[in-house]
Amino acid sequence: MKVVILSGSVYGTAEEVARHAQSLLKAAGFEAWHAARATLADVQAFEPQAFLAVTSTTGMGELPDSLVPLFSEIRDSLPAAWRGLPGAVLALGDSSYGDTFCGGGEQLRELFAELGVEEVQPMLRLDASETVTPEVDAEPWLAEFAATLRG
């Protein structure tokens, strides 16, 4: 199964988590593809069969600048071929921001819903005020995601 990993990062942490997720998914037997600052054409060329989104949150609950162009491209075109595909969101944030905690992840969940991507696992919220190793803390959730995709 081909899994596309979409990611957006402010300081590089979400990119690191996305790269780690890619290596774990490959080790689990999936074809996992990730490219920082990917375009819609890049994603479609891979012919995705599942999605994983990894994003941090910036400002008042917004997506990182690195992900905004791809997010906008997807939202504007709503690829019909993605309807019904499995997907999940892994969000990084800081709970001290209150209501906007993991807001970037919430935006991706809403986009997936609009696309008809089936959320196969509840969003993982990693709190920067509680973890210094988000890539390690994400491993059990990622293992569960891989098992869910395997069916």
Side-chain angles (χ1 to χ4, degrees), residues 40-62:
L40 179 57
D42 296 333
V43 173
Q44 289 178 316
F46 184 71
E47 299 176 351
Q49 297 169 305
F51 292 94
L52 172 62
V54 180
T55 189
S56 56
T57 300
T58 188
M60 296 303 295
E62 288 117 26

Side-chain angles (χ1 to χ4, degrees), residues 51-137:
F51 292 94
L52 172 62
V54 180
T55 189
S56 56
T57 300
T58 188
M60 296 303 295
E62 288 117 26
L63 291 167
D65 289 343
S66 64
L67 186 54
V68 170
L70 177 59
F71 180 90
S72 297
E73 268 190 292
I74 293 169
R75 189 191 57 224
D76 292 347
S77 65
L78 297 174
W82 298 358
R83 181 165 298 285
L85 295 181
V89 177
L90 191 163
L92 288 79
D94 187 326
S95 61
S96 67
Y97 283 87
D99 291 346
T100 62
F101 175 55
C102 291
E106 290 295 345
Q107 287 187 50
L108 285 168
R109 286 184 71 221
E110 289 169 15
L111 178 64
F112 278 2
E114 207 175 320
L115 289 165
V117 170
E118 181 188 340
E119 186 176 52
V120 295
Q121 189 167 339
M123 182 170 78
L124 176 62
R125 297 167 188 269
L126 292 175
D127 188 348
S129 65
E130 294 179 5
T131 182
V132 293
T133 56
E135 66 284 353
V136 174
D137 294 346

Side-chain angles (χ1 to χ4, degrees), residues 3-9 12 14-23 25-26 31-38 42-43 46 52-54:
V3 182
V4 164
I5 302 169
L6 308 174
S7 68
S9 197
E15 294 298 334
E16 189 174 321
V17 173
R19 283 191 298 275
H20 190 62
Q22 180 183 23
S23 68
L25 288 171
K26 282 184 175 182
E31 275 186 70
W33 180 86
H34 168 256
R37 299 188 181 272
D42 296 333
V43 173
F46 184 71
L52 172 62
V54 180

